[in-house]
């Protein structure tokens, strides 16, 4: 009888998957140049400006503004897009907390809607049903690097006069019908935090094709200054959320190796998809035909316990990890159930701020199913592995399925 590793048997693998970040002499050289130049901040430096240009070009966007994180990018993009404080922004309930807290930080109210179970992206019909007088914007999240249905999102926005701020924090280089995401809506935001496919440890960027949004974002991230004003003249509300030249130097090097790494991720993604799809109860998320490039930040599949002797997601994950596959449960709590949301702890020291919304009344069944029962994530660094690494993932899952009675 085959023994699962959780039961003391030999694991499918003991080796590690590729580590992240991937870096080389280029990052070191860029950092050295910055040190030696004496221009460590972006004001008189060249690196952030150069990265903005390159990143904008890659996404066919007219403008780019580098900032210190994806969260900051979202907050500034909302403010710069002229979304009135007090209005509502529709956000999927299954995303990173920043998609919602950025809305609150911009003085607005996040309204959570469910995800499409096939893609884990915003369910456009649910979003349409949530639109009302106070709605000002939609925030589609290109979750895991898979573009959201931008035809539906842009159609809904047009019909109702809404702004669209894309959370493309996991979707560098992804495209929908040939158009790079992040530059389809009014503004788009990306993250360069440590886990991301392009990283400088922390960092973010705002893309837009709108001259006014660009000007306002530029000012906001630079203490409300204006290009033609004096240094100590502040026209708008803002702060210092500028990126450093060190971050930009690393990002330039990361961007140069991005396409090669993406090609590897895409190859492994397709291979895994094909091989996992053949296992009953393992359902990789669907890729819409209109997606022309997937950013492959996460490989996500739905786990159906009925095909694993009724064993819960946590048991399956524990078993899989013991076999040497470091899979993740992903988000474990829907955003509307996060303590900060339920307690409306948006004030100083978590003081309650009574926004006119009751998150305890929200229920998004597909989000709950993803959090509690079905979503399993494999992270982008694993997609940089060898064919054997991918086979190990498939073999470990098959082994567990055939011996599911041994799971706790
Ligand atoms: C979907 C999503 N939105 C927003 C963010 C926020 O980005 P950052 O961590 O750079 O602030 C992240 C990053 O973790 C994210 O994954």
């Amino acid at each position: 009888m085959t023994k699962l590793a959780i039961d003391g048997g030999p694991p499918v693998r003991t080796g590690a998957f590729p580590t992240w970040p991937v870096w080389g002499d280029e990052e070191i050289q860029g950092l050295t140049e910055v040190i030696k130049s004496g221009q460590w901040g972006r004001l008189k430096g060249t690196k952030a400006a150069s990265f903005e240009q390159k990143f904008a070009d890659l996404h066919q966007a007219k403008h780019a503004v580098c900032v210190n994180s994806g969260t900051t990018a979202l907050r500034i993009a909302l403010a710069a897009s002229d979304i009135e404080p007090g209005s509502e922004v529709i956000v999927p309930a299954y995303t990173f907390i920043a998609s919602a807290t950025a809305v609150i930080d911009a003085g607005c109210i996040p309204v959570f809607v469910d995800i499409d179970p096939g893609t884990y992206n915003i369910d456009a019909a649910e979003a349409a049903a949530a639109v009302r007088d106070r709605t000002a914007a939609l925030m589609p999240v290109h979750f895991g690097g898979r573009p959201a249905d931008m035809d539906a999102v842009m159609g809904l926005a047009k019909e109702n006069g809404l702004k669209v701020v894309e959370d493309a924090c996991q979707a560098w280089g992804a495209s929908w019908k040939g158009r790079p995401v992040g530059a389809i809506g009014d503004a788009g935001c990306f993250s360069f935090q440590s886990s991301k496919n392009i990283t400088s440890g922390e960092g973010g960027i705002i893309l837009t094709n709108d001259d006014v949004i660009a000007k306002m974002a530029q000012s906001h991230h630079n203490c409300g200054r204006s290009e033609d004003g004096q240094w100590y003249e502040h026209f708008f509300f803002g702060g210092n959320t500028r990126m450093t030249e060190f971050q930009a130097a690393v990002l330039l090097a990361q961007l140069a190796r991005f396409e090669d790494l993406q090609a590897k991720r895409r190859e492994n993604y397709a291979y895994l998809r094909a091989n996992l799809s053949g296992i009953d109860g393992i359902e990789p998320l669907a890729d819409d035909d209109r997606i022309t490039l997937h950013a492959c930040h996460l490989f996500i599949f739905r786990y159906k316990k009925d095909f694993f002797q009724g064993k819960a997601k946590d048991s399956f994950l524990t078993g899989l990890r013991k076999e040497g596959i470091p899979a993740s449960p992903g988000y474990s709590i829907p955003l509307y159930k996060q303590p900060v949301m339920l307690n409306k702890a948006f004030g100083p020291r978590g003081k309650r701020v009574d926004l006119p919304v009751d998150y305890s009344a929200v229920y998004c069944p597909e989000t709950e199913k993803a959090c509690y029962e079905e979503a399993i994530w494999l992270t982008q660094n694993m997609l940089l592995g060898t064919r054997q690494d991918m086979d190990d993932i498939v073999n470990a899952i098959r082994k567990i399925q055939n011996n599911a009675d041994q799971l706790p």
Side-chain angles (χ1 to χ4, degrees):
M1 186 191 90
T2 307
K3 250 188 163 193
L4 292 183
I6 200 170
D7 221 16
V12 167
R13 60 183 278 134
T14 50
F17 279 86
T19 55
W20 184 256
V22 170
W23 55 276
D25 289 345
E26 297 80 359
E27 277 82 354
I28 294 172
Q29 194 189 321
L31 286 169
T32 307
E33 281 168 16
V34 173
I35 292 267
K36 289 185 175 168
S37 74
Q39 302 298 337
W40 296 2
R42 76 156 294 166
L43 294 169
K44 291 185 185 154
T46 56
K47 303 279 189 198
S50 164
F51 180 72
E52 282 170 347
Q53 187 64 55
K54 289 191 155 80
F55 199 79
D57 289 348
L58 178 67
H59 294 85
Q60 297 165 29
K62 194 167 170 195
H63 306 282
V65 180
C66 282
V67 288
N68 57 13
S69 73
T71 307
T72 301
L74 288 168
R75 174 164 54 82
I76 294 181
L78 287 161
S81 300
D82 200 19
I83 294 163
E84 286 290 324
S87 57
E88 295 181 348
V89 178
I90 295 176
V91 178
Y94 189 76
T95 170
F96 184 58
I97 188 76
S99 315
T101 50
V103 172
I104 291 164
D105 225 350
C108 302
I109 302 169
V111 170
F112 297 111
V113 297
D114 213 348
I115 48 170
D116 175 334
T119 62
Y120 285 4
N121 277 328
I122 195 164
D123 182 321
E126 293 290 323
V131 173
R132 53 190 193 140
D133 288 353
R134 290 217 300 264
T135 311
L138 303 170
M139 185 187 285
V141 179
H142 305 296
F143 192 67
R146 169 181 288 99
D149 180 346
M150 289 307 284
D151 287 2
V153 168
M154 296 309 288
L156 186 60
K158 198 164 174 208
E159 226 170 88
N160 295 281
L162 307 175
K163 294 278 168 48
V164 175
V165 173
E166 296 174 68
D167 181 337
C169 282
Q170 303 184 358
W172 328 258
S175 60
W176 175 258
K177 293 194 341 194
R179 278 190 74 186
V181 303
I184 299 176
D186 296 273
C189 302
F190 297 77
S191 167
F192 305 120
Q193 174 267 344
S194 304
S195 65
K196 304 301 195 284
N197 298 26
I198 299 175
T199 183
S200 47
E202 304 292 351
I205 200 166
I206 303 159
L207 297 184
T208 183
N209 292 310
D210 182 302
D211 296 347
V212 180
I213 293 177
K215 189 171 161 240
M216 295 312 299
Q218 183 68 36
S219 175
H220 196 304
H221 101 298
N222 189 23
C223 310
R225 294 187 173 97
S226 145
E227 262 178 20
D228 37 18
Q230 300 171 49
W231 181 246
Y232 286 122
E233 195 174 17
H234 307 275
F235 295 86
F236 306 106
F237 179 77
N240 175 3
T241 53
R242 299 183 297 260
M243 178 179 276
T244 68
E245 287 286 278
F246 297 114
Q247 289 165 296
V250 172
L251 288 173
L252 282 166
Q254 291 273 300
L255 194 60
R257 63 164 55 85
F258 176 63
E259 291 299 349
D260 284 350
L261 294 182
Q262 285 299 87
K264 181 79 187 163
R265 290 185 183 103
R266 287 196 181 104
E267 182 191 318
N268 278 329
Y269 178 100
Y271 182 78
L272 256 188
R273 195 168 207 306
N275 285 276
L276 288 179
S277 300
I279 304 179
D280 288 338
I282 297 294
E283 298 181 357
L285 293 185
D287 289 325
D288 192 301
D289 285 346
R290 293 166 292 178
I291 293 174
T292 31
L293 275 178
H294 188 309
C296 298
H297 180 57
L298 298 170
F299 185 98
I300 304 176
F301 61 85
R302 284 174 304 188
Y303 168 73
K304 298 283 182 185
K305 70 175 181 201
D306 291 353
F307 294 88
F308 290 78
Q309 302 196 24
K311 299 296 168 101
K313 167 177 158 173
D314 281 355
S315 295
F316 169 75
L317 264 174
T318 309
L320 195 56
R321 286 182 176 152
K322 290 278 184 201
E323 297 297 339
I325 311 299
S328 159
Y331 303 132
S332 52
I333 306 175
L335 284 192
Y336 53 85
K337 283 192 170 168
Q338 289 288 351
V340 62
M341 294 294 160
L342 284 178
N343 299 326
K344 298 186 186 169
F346 310 136
R349 293 195 176 181
K351 285 199 190 88
R352 192 175 174 90
V353 175
D354 252 324
L355 298 186
V357 60
D358 177 8
Y359 290 120
S360 69
V362 182
Y363 173 57
C364 297
E366 297 303 340
T367 295
E368 302 219 352
K369 214 189 281 174
C371 288
Y372 304 138
E373 296 173 36
E374 296 190 349
I376 309 280
W377 299 1
L378 303 174
T379 49
Q380 55 90 6
N381 61 302
M382 296 172 74
L383 296 177
L384 293 174
T386 59
R387 183 56 61 90
Q388 182 61 53
D389 291 335
M390 300 305 111
D391 285 338
D392 286 347
I393 295 171
V394 177
N395 292 336
I397 292 174
R398 282 195 189 283
K399 180 181 170 194
I400 290 179
Q401 181 161 63
N402 293 334
N403 301 279
D405 56 306
Q406 294 172 38
L407 290 176

